[in-house]
Amino acid sequence: DDHNASVEKVFDINVTDDPNDNSIGAIYLFTNAGATGRLGPTQAQIDSNYSGTNLANVVSINTQGIQEWTVPVTGIYRIEAMGAKGGGTHGGKGAKMSGTFSLSANSVLKILVGQAGTALTSGRTDYSGGGGTFVIKTPYDSSAGILVIAGGGGGAHVNGSASQGSVSTSGGNGAGGHQNGSGGTNGNGGNKDNQTTDGGAGFLTNGQSGNPDPSPQSFTNGGEGGSNSWSPVASAEGGFGGGGGTNRNSSSFFGTGGGGGYS
């Protein structure tokens, strides 16, 4: 149930050389390495958090937050991924997805671990979207490279409801709000709810934002969460993995960012 809270355990990879062998081999556990907010972990955070595990010194960061791991042996790998929860007590739960794949030794996977949405409650009620979790093989910028993507949950609505992480290939529509932003389709980002609320990013394109500084970024663009900051007013920033940020600057808008994912 870790996808129902902040995401710590995100997915494991069970390895066996024999597709008919149901025993569990090595388990590789990737996490957000303690990072929170719209930016993913640094190399230093990865090195510190994976020290003493079977991922020590074998995970590299070339784009902040996106972990690169070389498959150690050819075999059948079970991959389970969990999207991050949206911000707020009633934030949408991330999706949980799994699959079994034949992977070749020395191939490189790019792994983005979604981070939970945030809450901004000082005088307002703004909840951002959680980030999606992505496990991608080459080609990294094409749907052909997707192994598993688990969508993040939407931020909590002021009245308590929120969109859950979807297990379909289209994102869900926003719950409540001013204009009910629609989810993305075909790997693209979702639409903004209004000028102060971002749609979640997809795999291929960014989430729409009425105040893009920046908008939620797709996996192919680095996966940063949205900001949607109306200077000098702060915002609830979206979770890493394309979560939508939000900034309700009037009582007529309920700020709830969309979750990132494939859409």
Side-chain angles (χ1 to χ4, degrees), residues 93-121:
K93 301 172 183 178
K96 180 178 178 179
M97 304 289 287
S98 64
T100 302
F101 307 91
S102 177
L103 301 177
S104 299
N106 300 317
S107 59
V108 177
L109 302 187
K110 290 191 176 183
I111 299 159
L112 187 159
V113 175
Q115 294 172 189
T118 59
L120 183 68
T121 58

Side-chain angles (χ1 to χ4, degrees), residues 119-190:
L120 183 68
T121 58
S122 178
R124 304 194 312 277
T125 306
D126 293 336
Y127 299 120
S128 68
T133 292
F134 302 74
V135 187
I136 311 298
K137 65 177 183 178
T138 185
Y140 306 112
D141 59 354
S142 166
S143 295
I146 296 172
L147 294 175
V148 176
I149 297 176
H157 181 247
V158 68
N159 292 327
S161 60
S163 293
Q164 311 297 311
S166 174
V167 295
S168 69
T169 54
S170 297
N173 293 339
H178 180 62
Q179 295 174 335
N180 291 338
S182 58
T185 59
N186 299 318
N188 297 306

Side-chain angles (χ1 to χ4, degrees), residues 226-250:
S227 177
N228 202 311
S229 177
W230 285 67
S231 180
V233 181
S235 66
E237 295 184 335
F240 182 64
T246 181
N247 187 315
R248 179 175 63 87
N249 66 341
S250 77

Side-chain angles (χ1 to χ4, degrees), residues 4-22:
N4 299 343
S6 62
V7 176
E8 293 297 336
K9 174 180 178 182
V10 179
F11 67 82
D12 52 40
I13 301 179
N14 300 335
V15 187
T16 173
D17 294 327
D18 182 356
N20 297 314
D21 179 6
N22 293 321

